[in-house]
Amino acid sequence: FQFDFLRPQHSLFQYFTRLLEQYTKVLLPPKDLQVKLDSEASNRKKVMDQVSWRVGHLKEKEAQRKREEELAEKERISYAQIDWHNFVVVETVDYQPWEVGNFPPPTNPSEVGARVIIQRRQEEQGGPTAAA
């Protein structure tokens, strides 16, 4: 029972495997790692350039994530402003299997919401208000 984690079916097998990989990397590092560490230890400017690049990269990623969150929040707010109780089913049209025609695909509430949002944006921009 003590070494059941060595079996692939055990829940801790993945954890054990990851630990083993990490210990292997520490105890048996790649041959060029020492050379790389020595070169970085002697060249502080190179290290600072790498750190500077990484900080800039992280800031850019954070700004991009924040922009995406703000855009998603705006979309959510626009979607929430739609009065779904204002819509009324006027008529239901049932197409029979033998009827052939160029019918639009079925829609769901999220598609209707997206169309309403697009229409509002077009109206705000003064563009055409063609229904999608």
Side-chain angles (χ1 to χ4, degrees):
F1 298 121
Q2 185 177 3
F3 297 106
D4 278 349
F5 64 88
L6 294 173
R7 295 183 186 154
Q9 297 84 7
H10 196 273
S11 62
L12 294 178
F13 179 76
Q14 289 290 330
Y15 177 68
F16 169 72
T17 306
R18 299 282 182 186
L19 282 177
L20 188 65
E21 289 172 3
Q22 297 306 315
Y23 281 124
T24 304
K25 287 180 181 178
V26 170
L27 295 175
L28 301 171
K31 295 188 183 348
D32 64 335
L33 183 62
Q34 187 63 40
V35 174
K36 183 179 177 185
L37 290 174
D38 289 339
S39 71
E40 288 179 353
S42 64
N43 191 352
R44 291 183 183 259
K45 175 144 177 52
K46 181 179 176 183
V47 174
M48 291 305 290
D49 288 343
Q50 289 176 353
V51 169
S52 175
W53 180 86
R54 181 68 177 173
V55 167
H57 179 72
L58 289 176
K59 283 182 181 179
E60 179 61 32
K61 291 286 266 190
E62 181 65 23
Q64 181 182 2
R65 185 189 60 79
K66 193 176 256 187
R67 283 192 304 267
E68 289 174 356
E69 284 179 359
E70 288 173 359
L71 182 62
E73 181 66 16
K74 285 181 183 178
E75 288 286 329
R76 189 191 65 76
I77 289 171
S78 295
Y79 191 77
Q81 289 177 345
I82 298 172
D83 183 13
W84 293 107
H85 298 289
N86 195 18
F87 290 96
V88 178
V89 176
V90 177
E91 181 180 359
T92 303
V93 179
D94 293 324
Y95 296 107
Q96 301 303 322
W98 61 84
E99 291 181 309
V100 178
N102 189 9
F103 303 122
T107 59
N108 56 31
S110 65
E111 291 175 1
V112 173
R115 288 179 184 177
V116 170
I117 291 170
I118 291 170
Q119 185 178 6
R120 282 186 184 171
R121 286 182 185 160
Q122 289 175 345
E123 290 172 358
E124 289 172 0
Q125 295 173 356
T129 57

